[in-house]
Amino acid sequence: MKTLTTALFFISFFFFQLSAQDIESWISSKKPLLFEKLYVHVDRELYVPGDKIWLKAYQVNGITHQLNSNFRNVYVQLISEEGKVVQDIYLLTIKGIADGEFITDNLSTGMYTIRAFTKYLENFGEAALFHKKIWIVNPAELQQSERAKAISEGKMDISFLPEGGNLVNNALNTIAFKAINGEGKGIYVSGYVMNDAGDTITSISASYKGMGKFNLMPEEGLNYFAGIDQFPGLKFPLPKAQTDGIGLICKPDEESLMFELSTNMKLETYPEFYFVASHKGIVLFYKKVEMTEYSQALKVNKHLFPTGISKIAVLDLQMNPLAERLIFIDENKRDQLQLQINQEIFEPRREVKIDVMGMLEPGDSITSGLSVAVVNRNYLSTGENSQNIKSYLLLDSDLKGAIESPAEYFVDDEFHSSAEKLDLLMLVHGWRTYFWDDIEKKQTPSLDDWNDAGIDISGWAKRMLWKEPLPGAEVSLDYVFKNFQIAKTTTNSAGRFSFDHVYFVDSLNIMLNARTKNGTKNVEILLDQIMKRDSIIPFHNLNMNTLNIDLNPNFASDNYYRRTKELEFFPEKGTILLDEVEILEKKAKRAFSRSFGEYVWADRTFLIKPSDYSFQYVIDYLRYNLPSLVVSGDSIMIGNKGVTFMLDGVAIEEFELRTIRMQEIELIDFLHPGFRRGFSAGLLGVVDETGLIAIYQKTPFKPVIDYNFSKGRLRPELKGFHRPAKFYSPKYTLENVGSPRPDFRPTLYWNPDVRIENGNAPLEFFTSDELSEYVVYLEGISKNGRICFGTASFSVNKK
């Protein structure tokens, strides 16, 4: 424990003998805090149905921000305005990272919330979970919802928040305020402060997002209220002032923080107290202070504080808080990632090259992959991302309540510096809403709540026609389509069984087989629900933690032009009016449809859509979608290794592949050369050292799996971990740069695994046909827990 010595200067130059027995006991009684944070990098904020929502999850230590070096289940949900979970995926973070995507096909127009959490974070309530708002908009339905308009128009609320927590009579106080509309967003207001004797004390005016502050020295026996020019006739009372107490005012400068401590000047004696600074529950330093005047000042060096939010507390000698105030320290404002683009203006379908340089301290490095998104500025709510990895880990996750456009607090603008914005935020959103105070009060969950990697398959066995459980029964977990046993166990005295930490991807048909002690199949298996989660999230919970975002005013025109060009080339995406059609015969329904072939552990699975029919033959489609596929004469290879081709499970020759038409195909599995690792139980299958491309033709009927009950057997279909798709980024050459196929990608480039080697990483991608400004966002975490962030921009114009 260190106390304030050279770093804390008293303006009056007085020192006292420090008796720290009580405070040391108080500090020793504080339990060490365990916590984690979860951040999700989302490629943009505005989408149209059919777009993919690309995302990457970062799971870090809540105190050090280092990536967790374990395996953890992460649950990511896409939630409608009504609170309905319309999609969810399970991710397995490996050493703190995982990536995936949502499909927006057939989703209705509206605002959605991306909500992500771990089993551990659920112990700390909704405020501990990750939230981000996005729009999914059909271009023909670009009006914002009437509900959002109704709650925002003509409504205003204003809060007055004394710095330090309390208003003290006959002492100088700073009072912060924030004015919001019906959606909780800041609005500009101006007005005045009066007392009930009719005296005007001061004028007030909001300076940033509805926030502002003013000074006041209250007098005994008087009440104070504010009048707002924009809402004449309304009076808003200020908090009641106390006769005693401590007023706390912080005035930061470049190198230090100046704290002014004051009490009621009419008191005959002045209090003794402890001045304590802490960060995420960890006490940084303290000092016992005996006031000799009604007002005194303390000066503290900023270097005593880590980056982020810390708490200043004035405690009486019984450790009760007299005043509290959050501060934000951002000494290293330089982005840890510097991006250098080869030019500022590009033509359509031209290559962009970006050099990424890591600006880290000696001994630090970036050992995990960074995530990068290059997006059309018009697909961001305000032209900039409202949230990034720095703003979330340093602001959203440490303050309770929703913050409006948190990323903007780290940018200087024409009227406000970043430091001024952050200080206002500490006064308003930080007014006794430090999330770490809640963590201190909660009992730390057991380590079992941290260790949940994999999927637990559990249930119980009972004897046929009887309700009693069946102890000692042998239960095996098998893979349906292969002669492969994953695991085996025995039921306990209550007939319960469990297979823990099983890993598989996508949906999978498994088979549970059970036998009694005597080896008979007179057993019925009852399965528990896998990874059960709520399907409805209360609307209030979401809006308490994230605010609605607006549509970019240029979004509509961009989408209209994009859709027009795509419909010219893909008319099947639109609709046409037909004459009366006579139905002669109804097509038989498929028994089931699948999202993977026989190789559930394939590196990639291509689901063939009508838009893919623009490629006449399968070989053309593969060359376009598999850059590693090398076709030279009669030879086809994956890189420098051979490749095996199979059609519906039968090996075919290379010349046969060239004759298969795209319209005949349902899906294609691609397995990169090498071994395949599937379940955590071990090797699920081996393809050999060559690659494999397995092609599956369309068939009017599929084999039906019998899910009906049979003795001693259960064959459920389970949802496993999400298999992330690969972002498609075209490469234009002299041969295809003039292709009539339209290219209007709002996200030009997405890569969740950018590797820094020797301090640098090259990024290469091509521009599209969309003429616009584009923004590059690069995010990640260094080995030592430094938040890595970098941004750049360029434009695409015609010659």
Side-chain angles (χ1 to χ4, degrees), residues 391-669:
S391 69
Y392 183 79
L393 293 181
L394 296 182
L395 289 181
D396 297 74
S397 58
D398 282 351
L399 292 177
K400 296 167 65 177
I403 302 173
E404 183 180 356
S405 301
E408 294 182 11
Y409 286 89
F410 295 93
V411 181
D412 296 336
D413 61 36
E414 184 180 357
F415 302 104
H416 309 89
S417 69
S418 170
E420 290 171 336
K421 296 177 185 178
L422 288 166
D423 195 55
L424 275 174
L425 187 71
M426 296 302 102
L427 289 172
V428 175
H429 285 266
W431 197 78
R432 296 194 171 179
T433 59
Y434 194 34
F435 188 65
W436 289 89
D437 292 339
D438 288 357
I439 297 174
E440 282 190 90
K441 297 173 184 176
K442 286 187 176 288
Q443 183 175 357
T444 303
S446 68
L447 291 179
D448 290 339
D449 289 329
W450 291 68
N451 230 350
D452 68 335
I455 296 173
D456 296 340
I457 302 172
S458 62
W460 61 290
K462 70 180 190 71
R463 194 178 300 276
M464 290 281 297
L465 306 179
W466 298 88
K467 293 183 179 180
E468 288 75 12
L470 189 61
E474 183 182 87
V475 183
S476 65
L477 177 64
D478 304 304
Y479 178 43
V480 170
F481 296 115
K482 304 289 180 183
N483 185 18
F484 182 86
Q485 186 172 94
I486 300 167
K488 183 185 291 186
T489 189
T490 302
T491 59
N492 63 16
S493 58
R496 299 283 305 173
F497 66 88
S498 177
F499 300 98
D500 299 330
H501 307 305
V502 177
Y503 174 73
F504 61 92
V505 294
D506 296 330
S507 295
L508 183 67
N509 292 110
I510 64 167
M511 183 162 55
L512 291 162
N513 291 303
R515 292 177 181 269
T516 65
K517 288 181 180 179
N518 299 327
T520 69
K521 294 184 179 181
N522 191 28
V523 181
E524 183 178 352
I525 305 170
L526 303 173
L527 198 63
D528 298 330
Q529 188 169 349
I530 307 292
M531 287 187 173
K532 182 180 180 181
R533 289 293 179 271
D534 293 336
S535 59
I536 299 292
I537 309 300
F539 184 81
H540 176 74
N541 288 356
L542 300 178
N543 283 358
M544 283 291 292
N545 292 282
T546 179
L547 293 175
N548 292 344
I549 61 173
D550 298 322
L551 288 171
N552 191 301
N554 298 318
F555 179 71
S557 58
D558 268 20
N559 270 284
Y560 177 79
Y561 188 74
R562 172 189 176 189
R563 181 166 173 80
T564 299
K565 292 297 181 182
E566 288 178 346
L567 286 177
E568 288 176 0
F569 194 81
F570 302 117
E572 68 274 8
K573 288 187 177 180
T575 58
I576 57 174
L577 182 63
L578 299 177
D579 294 331
E580 183 178 353
V581 177
E582 181 182 359
I583 300 176
L584 300 178
E585 182 179 359
K586 290 185 178 181
K587 182 178 179 179
K589 292 184 178 180
R590 293 187 170 196
F592 67 90
S593 61
R594 58 185 175 187
S595 59
F596 56 85
E598 294 298 322
Y599 300 93
V600 295
W601 59 95
D603 294 294
R604 292 187 68 182
T605 295
F606 300 97
L607 297 173
I608 307 304
K609 304 181 291 296
S611 59
D612 297 320
Y613 297 163
S614 57
F615 299 96
Q616 186 173 6
Y617 294 99
V618 169
I619 186 64
D620 301 321
Y621 177 83
L622 292 174
R623 292 176 69 178
Y624 189 80
N625 287 280
L626 294 176
S628 59
L629 190 72
V630 178
V631 180
S632 178
D634 294 334
S635 175
I636 303 178
M637 305 185 75
I638 301 291
N640 59 357
K641 294 188 177 181
V643 57
T644 300
F645 295 97
M646 301 187 73
L647 181 63
D648 291 336
V650 180
I652 60 174
E653 299 295 330
E654 293 172 349
F655 74 89
E656 297 178 84
L657 173 72
R658 299 172 187 268
T659 65
I660 303 174
R661 296 178 178 273
M662 283 295 295
Q663 292 186 347
E664 303 170 3
I665 303 307
E666 181 178 14
L667 57 87
I668 301 171
D669 277 338

